[in-house]
């Protein structure tokens, strides 16, 4: 018999989404609003009220196909980011853009470089499309740009740098990234995945858009899923040279972003007060959680994002299960780590007391 799928698909492990609130609520006999979901780096304040109102106004027209090229959203982003609309590509989450970049620019005789650990989709998309890749271990919780540079071969087409890194939260500073970009061979495309850039507070956190002059083939990918609170609508964007965007558009499925998502994105960009509130909450809760974990004798890695990675110093899964039993869902990263999304003060307090109880 001819095998149903190629060996690379047979071996593929599906992406492990954070445990769903509905699933935990069912297990505990609670409603999902009683669960503190700190597993997927969503905004604990929810979506912008301005975006919700815009979505409600748009619902009467959902019998129509969306505008395939998302002209209003691209124009609005281009204005804000001081780029041209031709340099902006919209995706169904930045996940789709990451996969589109791999599908557009790589074949099975080419090569991709990223860190380990990093956003899991880089590896999954390479495996799914049969693209050889090198995952360079982080060094002391940081991207090891020197080793990543050495991993670039004549076959390398793409390098992914999640800045800040997921799941650790550490960032690459301006000088190091600038030097790296200048050193990369001109034909290689460097993707700066800035899903959490709006949360970054470090003085040397670089704006990837400003570093494009160091390396022409730089792509900056961002999302509406994190600080903008629109994860459920699936919306992301990438800024890249118009030449690259032209090729991505050929591969992009038509109508890949819903009309509702496009309208919500435009509205969310206008609501700068919501972004500001979200950033301020994250900043204070990061300090609160870090201090709380320290009181429990636990150390968290430095983070410029809306989550922290903590070493629980013993097997993760019993601690994780202890938290779930108290209605707190975080991300288990075995063998000894938890990645905790920063929630509201009440959620964070529940998380800390849950960890304390599970450790005792
Ligand atoms: C969450 C995340 C994304 C993308 O999420 P989408 O919902 O697909 O936009 C991309 N990169 C990193 C590093 C992330 O953590």
């Amino acid at each position: 018999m001819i095998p149903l799928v190629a060996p690379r698909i047979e071996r593929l492990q599906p992406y492990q989404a954070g445990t769903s609130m509905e699933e935990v609520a069912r297990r505990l006999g609670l409603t999902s609003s009683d669960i503190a979901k700190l597993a997927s780096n969503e905004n604990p304040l929810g979506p912008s009220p301005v975006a919700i109102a815009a979505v409600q106004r748009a619902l009467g027209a959902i019998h129509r196909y969306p505008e395939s090229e998302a002209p209003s959203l691209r124009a609005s982003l281009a204005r804000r980011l001081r780029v041209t609309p031709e340099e902006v590509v919209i995706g169904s989450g930045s996940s789709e853009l990451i996969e589109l970049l791999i599908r557009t620019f790589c074949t099975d005789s080419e090569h991709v470089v990223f860190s380990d650990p990093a956003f899991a989709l880089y590896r999954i998309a390479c495996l799914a499309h049969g693209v050889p890749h090198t995952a360079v271990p982080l060094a002391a919780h940081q991207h090891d740009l020197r080793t990543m540079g050495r991993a670039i071969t004549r076959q390398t087409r793409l390098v992914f740098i999640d800045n800040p890194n997921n799941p650790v939260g550490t960032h690459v500073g301006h000088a190091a990234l600038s030097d790296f970009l200048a050193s990369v061979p001109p034909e290689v495309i460097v993707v700066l995945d800035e899903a959490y850039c709006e949360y970054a507070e470090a003085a040397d956190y670089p704006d990837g858009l400003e570093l494009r002059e160091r390396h022409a083939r730089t792509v900056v990918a961002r999302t509406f899923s994190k600080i903008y609170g629109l994860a459920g609508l699936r919306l992301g964007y990438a800024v890249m040279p118009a030449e690259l965007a032209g090729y991505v558009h050929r591969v992009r499925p038509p109508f890949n972003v819903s009309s509702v998502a496009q309208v919500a994105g435009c509205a969310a960009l206008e609501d700068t007060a919501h972004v500001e509130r979200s950033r301020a909450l994250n900043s204070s809760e990061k300090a609160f959680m870090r201090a709380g974990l320290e009181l429990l004798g636990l150390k968290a890695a430095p983070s410029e994002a809306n989550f922290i990675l903590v070493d629980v110093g013993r097997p993760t899964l019993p601690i994780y299960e202890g938290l779930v039993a108290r209605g707190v869902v975080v991300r288990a990263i075995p063998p000894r780590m938890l990645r905790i999304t920063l929630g509201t003060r009440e959620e964070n307090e529940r998380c800390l007391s849950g960890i304390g109880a599970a450790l005792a």
Side-chain angles (χ1 to χ4, degrees):
M1 270 252 285
I2 298 169
L4 182 58
V5 294
R8 67 171 203 280
I9 305 289
E10 191 65 59
R11 285 193 302 267
L12 203 56
Q13 297 294 317
Y15 177 83
Q16 294 290 325
T19 315
S20 97
M21 279 200 284
E22 289 73 16
E23 185 189 318
V24 174
R26 255 193 318 273
R27 246 202 279 168
L28 298 178
L30 300 171
T31 61
S32 55
S33 58
D34 296 325
I35 308 287
K37 191 187 177 211
L38 306 177
S40 300
N41 304 340
E42 296 142 341
N43 186 336
L45 296 180
S48 143
V50 180
I52 295 175
V55 163
Q56 279 165 343
R57 284 194 302 274
L59 288 178
I62 56 171
H63 59 304
R64 304 287 183 203
Y65 278 99
E67 290 189 280
S68 187
E69 312 275 315
S72 304
L73 180 56
R74 282 167 65 213
S76 177
L77 283 164
R79 243 189 342 269
R80 269 155 221 284
L81 304 173
R82 298 173 204 285
V83 300
T84 67
E86 291 69 37
E87 294 174 290
V88 182
V89 184
I90 307 294
S92 174
S94 51
S95 298
E96 184 186 44
L97 294 163
I98 290 163
E99 179 149 36
L100 276 174
L101 287 164
I102 291 171
R103 284 169 52 202
T104 304
F105 296 110
C106 299
T107 67
D108 61 6
S109 55
E110 289 158 331
H111 176 246
V112 175
V113 176
F114 46 80
S115 291
D116 180 30
F119 187 47
L121 191 63
Y122 311 148
R123 185 193 305 264
I124 293 171
C126 284
L127 289 170
H129 298 292
V131 179
H133 50 277
T134 302
V136 176
L138 299 182
H141 283 332
Q142 308 270 358
H143 285 293
D144 182 353
L145 293 183
R146 186 187 298 259
T147 307
M148 290 175 86
R150 281 200 293 260
I152 293 172
T153 67
R154 291 237 309 281
Q155 281 68 47
T156 305
R157 308 293 295 141
L158 287 166
V159 177
F160 286 96
I161 300 173
D162 43 356
N163 194 29
N165 168 268
N166 177 3
V168 181
T170 49
H171 76 292
V172 175
H174 188 280
L177 188 57
S178 178
D179 289 350
F180 177 78
L181 287 169
S183 75
V184 171
E187 65 275 12
V188 174
I189 300 167
V190 180
V191 183
L192 304 175
D193 179 353
E194 299 185 340
Y196 304 97
C197 62
E198 299 89 352
Y199 289 109
E201 295 179 284
D204 72 338
Y205 177 77
D207 177 346
L209 293 172
E210 284 170 12
L211 286 175
R212 295 193 304 161
E213 62 191 25
R214 304 290 282 164
H215 181 77
R217 288 191 178 167
T218 298
V219 176
V220 176
R222 294 182 183 163
T223 181
F224 285 89
S225 298
K226 306 291 158 57
I227 206 164
Y228 289 103
L230 299 178
L233 283 179
R234 314 303 303 126
L235 185 61
Y237 64 92
V239 177
M240 65 189 82
E243 184 193 12
L244 301 193
Y247 289 115
V248 174
H249 276 301
R250 297 183 197 195
V251 179
R252 179 179 66 83
F255 314 116
N256 60 324
V257 174
S258 74
S259 53
V260 175
Q262 292 182 33
V263 162
C266 288
L269 286 173
E270 301 294 331
D271 193 353
T272 52
H274 185 70
V275 173
E276 234 6 272
R277 267 195 307 278
S278 306
R279 195 183 352 249
L281 177 72
N282 192 68
S283 177
S284 61
E285 293 314 300
K286 192 162 68 179
F288 175 76
M289 278 301 272
R290 191 176 285 286
L293 290 167
E294 218 157 277
L295 283 176
L296 294 171
L298 302 179
K299 225 175 117 67
S303 173
E304 294 300 318
N306 67 342
F307 56 83
I308 48 180
L309 185 74
V310 59
D311 185 340
V312 292
R314 64 176 86 177
T316 300
L317 287 176
I319 311 275
Y320 169 82
E321 288 299 340
L323 282 170
V324 170
R326 288 176 176 77
V328 179
V329 185
V330 299
R331 190 68 177 251
I333 305 194
R336 290 193 334 203
M337 303 282 198
L338 293 176
R339 191 195 67 191
I340 305 169
T341 303
L342 299 163
T344 60
R345 175 59 55 93
E346 190 252 326
E347 290 172 325
N348 296 334
E349 279 170 345
R350 269 175 74 190
C351 181
L352 283 173
S353 64
I355 295 174
L359 286 172

